[in-house]
Amino acid sequence: MITFFVVGGIGLVLLLVSLVVGDLLDMIDIGDGLVSGVAFGAALAIFGLAGVVTSQAGLPTWATYVVAIGIALVALVLIQLFVRRVTRNESGGYYSPVGLVGTATEATTPTGGEVRLDDVRELERRLAFSSRRIERGARVRVVADAGTRVEVEPLDQA
């Protein structure tokens, strides 16, 4: 049962840090944008809680882990879908990211890349492209909106 307490505690810390400071997984470059720190932290916390509760039900150890993992995976998917929906609808409607500045989280080229924009409405990284190569870590400005992707240029060029 100590495993469930430890994993649940780590999940709770990750969840709180991601809510207060920003997405911790993006800051330490884990997950490649697949899941948010909020969803992953919540799933770990739910794994811990589900494990403690099911272990008290008298199930065998293997069944306790199966139930806890199953509940945590369902929670992870549902919470990530919720986070993405909130991300899209947080401003109460569509807004244009043109003019926002941020940081290239991956090298950005005409074929693709990734940026993190410095705006409260931007909870996750965005796919991006640029007319020329921009190295990871460079400051960028959004010059055009192309659906789910944004076109960026180096900030020193703007």
Side-chain angles (χ1 to χ4, degrees):
M1 186 164 13
I2 190 73
T3 303
F4 297 118
F5 283 121
V6 171
V7 172
I10 290 170
L12 191 57
V13 167
L14 177 61
L15 172 63
L16 293 174
V17 168
S18 291
L19 285 172
V20 173
V21 176
D23 197 339
L24 187 61
L25 295 183
D26 277 349
M27 289 180 193
I28 58 177
D29 207 21
I30 294 178
D32 200 28
L34 180 63
V35 296
S36 68
V38 171
F40 191 64
L44 289 177
I46 289 170
F47 169 81
L49 177 65
V52 169
V53 170
T54 56
S55 69
Q56 296 302 314
L59 294 174
T61 303
W62 67 269
T64 300
Y65 277 96
V66 168
V67 169
I69 290 170
I71 291 172
L73 287 175
V74 168
L76 177 69
V77 170
L78 292 175
I79 294 167
Q80 183 61 35
L81 290 173
F82 177 74
V83 166
R84 288 190 186 198
R85 181 169 181 194
V86 167
T87 301
R88 288 190 195 112
N89 296 330
E90 188 175 46
S91 66
Y94 175 77
Y95 77 97
S96 174
V98 174
L100 294 179
V101 295
T103 306
T105 56
E106 297 295 330
T108 305
T109 65
T111 59
E114 193 175 72
V115 297
R116 178 147 182 92
L117 300 176
D118 302 335
D119 189 89
V120 295
R121 296 170 289 190
E122 296 291 325
L123 299 178
E124 295 182 341
R125 294 180 279 188
R126 279 189 179 241
L127 295 176
F129 64 97
S130 60
S131 59
R132 64 184 178 92
R133 183 175 179 85
I134 300 172
E135 293 302 322
R136 179 182 185 169
R139 298 291 291 165
V140 296
R141 178 182 313 276
V142 177
V143 294
D145 186 10
T148 58
R149 299 183 346 150
V150 292
E151 182 176 359
V152 296
E153 66 182 20
L155 194 56
D156 58 2
Q157 182 183 8

